Amino acid sequence: MLQASGDGAQVRDELTGDLHTIRAKVVVNATGVWAGDLVPEVRLRPSRGTHLVVRSASLGAGNAVVNAAIPDTMGRFVFTLPQPDGLTYLGLTDEPVEGHPDDVPEPGNHDIDFLLDTINSVLEHDLQRSDVVGMYAGLRPLIDADGSSADLSRRHAVLTSSEGVVTIVGGKLTTYRRMAQDTVDHIVRDHDLTAGPCVTAELPLVGAADRANLRSVPAPARLVRRYGTEAPIVAAGMGPEMLAPIADTVPTTPAELHFAVTHEGALDVDDLLDRRTRIGLVPADRDRAVAAAQDVLTRLHRT
Ligand SMILES: Cc1cc2nc3c(=O)[nH]c(=O)nc-3n(C[C@H](O)[C@H](O)[C@H](O)COP(=O)(O)OP(=O)(O)OC[C@H]3O[C@@H](n4cnc5c(N)ncnc54)[C@H](O)[C@@H]3O)c2cc1C
């Protein structure tokens, strides 16, 4: 989206470069830490959060979560997050970012040293830099309520600008449904629209079921864990080679990449390895998976 106003938006198709004008009763600006680019009245103070990625085996803690208190702080920790695919994430930092936020924030050397030093304070065998197989950073969209860093809100807010653009910003990943509900309720109220009560809180996620039902889903266990009751659709028509891990360190199967194209809108290798799966978090694993991603795109005539 290039420009937003109370009655429409100007957008650019990033694949073709074509510009379009869209007319709408309401425009919602849900662009996270970049929300101020479209609505300058929105004031944010981004904070960079960096995670390191290590092989779980190098940490030696199995599936246990390890917490290390950050010295000279109250209630702040560096912690490990074991993942199902043999990786553990180690995070995270909270560094104020000045100026316009980068499109893709990069972890700094200071972040890496801080995370390793803090977690090593509670480990018997120190993690080394060479144990770090990947890393990533993101920007938290913290709301600057009164211009002072002491009052940065980690809750979300819905705001209507003087131009009439509705911005939803702040919050957490885990509060996305509440953020959507508050946005829709805000619009319905402000525009005197008629609508029933919001039902998002009652709607199960696609593929969700209780454990007993999940146990009887006829599909490989890995796919049931990732896709729930949708797993048979992922596995349908897939031969053994499509259901085998892509590489020793990459348990993702080509069937998952295939599904990402047919059902999840993936268009290219980057979508498959960096957006629909998290293979790209470890550059060496990404290299191992590029051929499988290209193969799937070729089979589906997407290249
Ligand atoms: C390192 C880190 C760790 C976190 N950990 C957690 C956690 O454990 N639990 C939790 O609940 N939350 C966590 N959060 C917070 C959570 O990630 C954010 O609150 C959440 O992503 C905000 O969602 P959003 O949709 O508002 O913004 P975003 O997720 O940033 O999405 C905004 C989207 O808008 C797009 N965009 C930007 N500008 C434009 C434009 N002009 N036109 C079109 N599109 C545009 C961007 O590309 C992006 O895809 C974490 C955040 C960080 C940075």
Side-chain angles (χ1 to χ4, degrees), residues 43-98:
R43 289 186 304 158
L44 299 173
R45 299 280 292 269
S47 147
R48 188 178 64 243
T50 295
H51 283 101
L52 306 181
V53 185
V54 299
R55 304 257 181 235
S56 303
S58 63
L59 191 64
N63 278 333
V65 171
V66 179
N67 286 297
I70 299 175
D72 305 323
T73 65
M74 279 292 287
R76 287 197 55 215
F77 295 86
V78 166
F79 51 87
T80 64
L81 292 166
Q83 303 298 303
D85 286 352
L87 297 173
T88 292
Y89 304 152
L90 169 62
L92 84 169
T93 62
D94 193 354
E95 292 287 325
V97 174
E98 300 301 332

Side-chain angles (χ1 to χ4, degrees), residues 53-204:
V53 185
V54 299
R55 304 257 181 235
S56 303
S58 63
L59 191 64
N63 278 333
V65 171
V66 179
N67 286 297
I70 299 175
D72 305 323
T73 65
M74 279 292 287
R76 287 197 55 215
F77 295 86
V78 166
F79 51 87
T80 64
L81 292 166
Q83 303 298 303
D85 286 352
L87 297 173
T88 292
Y89 304 152
L90 169 62
L92 84 169
T93 62
D94 193 354
E95 292 287 325
V97 174
E98 300 301 332
H100 187 266
D102 293 340
D103 277 0
V104 182
E106 295 291 336
N109 271 327
H110 166 77
D111 296 351
I112 303 166
D113 290 341
F114 162 78
L115 292 171
L116 286 179
D117 288 350
T118 310
I119 202 71
N120 282 340
S121 69
V122 299
L123 294 180
E124 191 175 348
H125 301 290
D126 281 1
L127 280 176
Q128 309 295 329
R129 274 233 180 185
S130 55
D131 292 319
V132 178
V133 293
M135 59 186 83
Y136 59 97
L139 296 170
R140 300 178 187 84
L142 304 183
I143 298 169
D144 187 357
D146 68 353
S148 87
S149 59
D151 197 17
L152 294 179
S153 171
R154 294 185 188 231
R155 298 177 67 87
H156 65 269
V158 186
L159 323 148
T160 302
S161 72
S162 51
E163 284 257 308
V165 179
V166 177
T167 296
I168 169 71
V169 74
K172 305 284 289 172
L173 281 178
T174 39
T175 56
Y176 75 97
R177 283 196 171 194
R178 186 57 199 247
M179 292 163 72
Q181 177 177 344
D182 288 351
T183 307
V184 172
D185 287 349
H186 180 96
I187 292 167
V188 167
R189 197 177 53 240
D190 273 15
H191 288 76
D192 287 330
L193 303 175
T194 25
C198 181
V199 295
T200 186
E202 314 279 313
L203 282 178

Side-chain angles (χ1 to χ4, degrees), residues 8-29:
Q10 203 187 35
V11 298
R12 181 176 56 222
D13 181 332
E14 294 293 345
L15 296 178
T16 63
D18 293 347
L19 299 178
H20 303 278
T21 300
I22 300 173
R23 298 193 58 76
K25 273 189 190 164
V26 185
V27 175
V28 176
N29 171 24

